[in-house]
Amino acid sequence: MSTDDESFHPLGDEWEDELETMLDDTEYDSDLGMEMAQDAMRVTKGELSEAEFHEKHHEAVMEEFGEDERPTKEAYEAAQEEAKGTASRMLDAFDGDGGETRRETMKKMGVGAAAVGMGAFSSTRDGPMESLSAEGGHSETTEHSDTQWGMTIDLERCDGCLTCMTACTQENDLDAGVNWMYVMAWEDELHEGHEEGTDTGVYSSDFNMGSDFNMLVRPCQHCTDAPCEKVCPTTARHTRDKDGLVLTDYDVCIGCRYCQVACPYGVNYFQWDEPHTDYEDIDGKADPENPDQITHANYEHGERWVDSRAPRGVMSKCTMCPSMQDGKQGEEKIGTSACETACPPNAIQFGNVKDEKSDPYQHREHPSKSRAVIRLSDEHTDSSGIPSPETIDGTLSSDDDIESALEKFENLDKETLSIMKAVELVSDRTEPGDEENNSILRKEQEVVAAVDAFEQYVDLETDEAITQLQLGDGSERQARFRIQQYTGKPNSFKLLEDVGTNPNVTYLGEQPGPEAEQVEGPTKYEDVDLLTDNRQDLLDEETVGGVDGVSL
């Protein structure tokens, strides 16, 4: 293990010490787990090749576990073959030179031949080792898939209600404290937290939907290059090639907890005791009218058991609802997740992040416009705000101007019409298609259709109309500015991008700094049924009496 004072773990010294103490409570080698976690992050950062990483720890893993099925094995074997080929080409170059035989040449090369093999492992990322690592590494296969499930989460829209956490707990039958996602309020040296008696947080925008806090929603990031997978000796932690989900096979997991140490985000959980929900009682969410619908309880038959709560002695984390993505809960659930569906302020957009038409892609690439569309759709319906084209046709006449037209709709005001027109001006009118979770484009299409119908009766592009709607000169640039006045222009970021894991969760809003600390948020965990902050604390206090009392 590194002797440097500085922590290798992005979450800092205290978290690293806690992880090491946690490993000491298992039957497996703590030092090996810490060293492998550190090197796995060096791999994602580009400081170490996958082949070198595998070779470095192979003997120790075999000795400790009796197997080494880490995905880096393929990169190691490919590098070995390349090294053998290089040595062979060198030997061929000596053949016939001065009459030396191949055997004599090999004797002369001696240690040099071995050095050629090691050289293949120590190549730089810009050299041949990079291509070998990509060939042998697991992440390359997911790059060929057209699907990568992920999220875009609007932190300025999050009101800290914890509904997403409750929905996740209910969907997956989790014990209290086994939180597969966290909703946290935070502050740092640049961003102040909430102070009692103030109306708004210092950095909250006008778009904020109710929380005066700086918020962070932290599920598993389902990294394309996941360090947790690289350290798993059994393939229990694995990435599905078909959709990029990073999952845990409960039947294969041995509970070594190395994945927990290697995760830069702190999202893994170990099931200390027997789950409160018995295996046969796992909620399958089956359609009562279709009793043959496959359930969680028989989900693993013929497939890997990767869904719902984990059995005792096994690791678990956010799964992004694979039973939904696989159609096990009905076709209508594909491309959705429990947390997204439950979120009252619509802060979570889940879907295929590779699909340009999907909600998370649209929200990531066009955040201000998407915010406007979501807000218009959430706050206005046919009966209270945005009228349908049919309603407009039955209400307006060619004699109307903006003022008289607006008077005919109870809750359609000038600001709403202004934003609707701005959305129409910036829209490229992309068809949403038939894929799941393309709702933002569908809602945008509804807004554009309503503007088109409105303009059959009232010209909204005259100088007078443009002035009334505060759209500047009526250009697309001015329309974007108007939308940003309405929704703000949020920052976009991914957590710990410098670690190189390529996370598939994008955030809109303020990014916590390296010194950010969690503070008490708008809703306390203990005030919500099914939730508590930490499962192990609950066990220590109520059931087990300390980690040392747990036998696995």
Side-chain angles (χ1 to χ4, degrees), residues 91-122:
L91 290 169
D92 289 343
F94 279 102
D95 280 354
D97 185 6
E100 290 183 323
T101 65
R102 189 178 184 88
R103 179 183 296 272
E104 290 170 337
T105 302
M106 289 178 68
K107 288 177 65 177
K108 281 188 176 183
M109 289 176 66
V111 182
V116 170
M118 289 305 298
F121 298 123
S122 58

Side-chain angles (χ1 to χ4, degrees), residues 58-229:
H58 175 65
E59 289 186 8
V61 170
M62 289 296 297
E63 182 177 349
E64 183 67 19
F65 300 103
E67 61 180 323
D68 186 3
E69 297 302 322
R70 292 175 292 153
T72 52
K73 177 173 67 173
E74 296 178 15
Y76 171 71
E77 292 174 346
Q80 280 190 315
E81 290 300 315
E82 177 67 15
K84 290 177 183 178
T86 301
S88 178
R89 289 190 294 272
M90 290 179 65
L91 290 169
D92 289 343
F94 279 102
D95 280 354
D97 185 6
E100 290 183 323
T101 65
R102 189 178 184 88
R103 179 183 296 272
E104 290 170 337
T105 302
M106 289 178 68
K107 288 177 65 177
K108 281 188 176 183
M109 289 176 66
V111 182
V116 170
M118 289 305 298
F121 298 123
S122 58
S123 299
T124 65
R125 295 282 288 188
D126 296 328
M129 190 60 250
E130 169 65 13
S131 61
L132 288 171
S133 178
E135 275 184 29
H138 190 92
S139 59
E140 178 71 9
T141 57
T142 59
E143 290 178 4
H144 292 310
S145 172
D146 292 332
T147 301
Q148 172 63 65
W149 299 119
M151 298 177 178
T152 298
I153 303 178
D154 193 337
L155 300 175
E156 292 178 356
R157 201 168 174 87
C158 173
D159 62 6
C161 66
L162 309 186
T163 302
C164 57
M165 292 180 62
T166 303
C168 178
T169 296
Q170 292 173 330
E171 169 68 25
N172 294 287
D173 298 293
L174 303 179
D175 295 341
V178 182
N179 301 315
W180 283 3
M181 65 190 307
Y182 267 103
V183 177
M184 300 174 286
W186 59 271
E187 62 181 17
D188 60 17
E189 65 277 13
L190 297 178
H191 305 87
E192 296 182 20
H194 173 74
E195 295 183 8
E196 189 173 355
T198 59
D199 292 331
T200 59
V202 174
Y203 283 86
S204 61
S205 73
D206 290 340
F207 188 71
N208 192 291
M209 297 302 293
S211 172
D212 297 332
F213 299 78
N214 306 303
M215 302 302 301
L216 180 65
V217 181
R218 192 185 66 187
C220 174
Q221 307 290 296
H222 288 266
C223 307
T224 299
D225 196 14
C228 62
E229 180 185 13

Side-chain angles (χ1 to χ4, degrees), residues 379-388 409 411-413 416 420:
E379 297 183 357
H380 302 284
T381 64
D382 276 356
S383 61
S384 64
I386 299 177
S388 68
F409 298 97
N411 292 312
L412 184 61
D413 56 28
T416 300
M420 290 171 59

Side-chain angles (χ1 to χ4, degrees), residues 356-370:
E356 294 183 1
K357 297 182 178 182
S358 73
D359 289 348
Y361 186 98
Q362 286 289 315
H363 212 41
R364 182 186 75 207
E365 299 300 321
H366 313 287
S368 295
K369 181 188 72 172
S370 295

